[in-house]
Amino acid sequence: MIRQASGIVGDVRGIAHTGLRAVRTRLELASIELTEEKAWLVRFVLVAVAALYLVTFGLLLGICALTLWASEENRPAILGGFTAVFLVVGLGCALYIWMQARRRHPILKETIAVLKGDEQALRQGLQGAGDD
């Protein structure tokens, strides 16, 4: 049978043990959130790069084929028109990425919320202890 310390030493050990468990739990939560953020970022970048490469290459080949097919006097207009379209679409994509980045929740949002709740509970506990 394990003999537990009594009195103030036991109370201090209990408080320290509870505090360490709370810190460990919070760090585990932060680790999980960082892992999720990393996985999201890797997927996002890989898909974005692949899409950008494939769409650009496909459009370039299509424009080359169309330009070679068209008559010689229409070729500058075709190339100029596609240039304008690419610039407009590129700016639209940049705007979309900027808006999505602003809308994304901050990293460790849940961990910070839990820690704020812990802080409030501790304050209320300390205020309640002073009333005794």
Side-chain angles (χ1 to χ4, degrees):
M1 183 149 72
I2 298 174
R3 186 174 170 204
Q4 298 213 356
S6 61
I8 194 158
V9 174
D11 291 343
V12 169
R13 282 187 182 168
I15 290 171
H17 185 274
T18 302
L20 285 175
R21 276 192 324 194
V23 168
R24 186 191 74 212
T25 302
R26 297 328 181 239
L27 289 175
E28 288 172 353
L29 178 61
S31 173
I32 290 169
E33 286 188 53
L34 286 174
T35 301
E36 290 174 355
E37 290 295 324
K38 178 183 170 187
W40 179 86
L41 183 62
V42 167
R43 269 193 319 270
F44 183 81
V45 168
L46 285 176
V47 171
V49 168
L52 181 65
Y53 174 76
L54 293 172
V55 168
T56 303
F57 194 66
L59 286 174
L60 182 63
L61 288 176
I63 291 169
C64 286
L66 180 65
T67 304
L68 291 174
W69 177 75
S71 63
E72 199 167 318
E73 59 270 356
N74 291 333
R75 290 179 184 170
I78 291 172
L79 292 175
F82 277 110
T83 300
V85 169
F86 283 160
L87 289 175
V88 168
V89 171
L91 289 173
C93 290
L95 180 63
Y96 171 78
I97 289 172
W98 179 71
M99 289 174 61
Q100 289 298 314
R102 290 193 65 202
R103 229 185 273 167
R104 189 154 166 75
H105 65 81
I107 296 176
L108 302 176
K109 180 180 178 181
E110 288 86 13
T111 301
I112 292 170
V114 168
L115 289 173
K116 284 182 180 179
D118 291 346
E119 181 182 8
Q120 285 181 340
L122 184 60
R123 279 190 185 150
Q124 291 173 354
L126 290 176
Q127 289 173 353
D131 295 339
D132 291 337

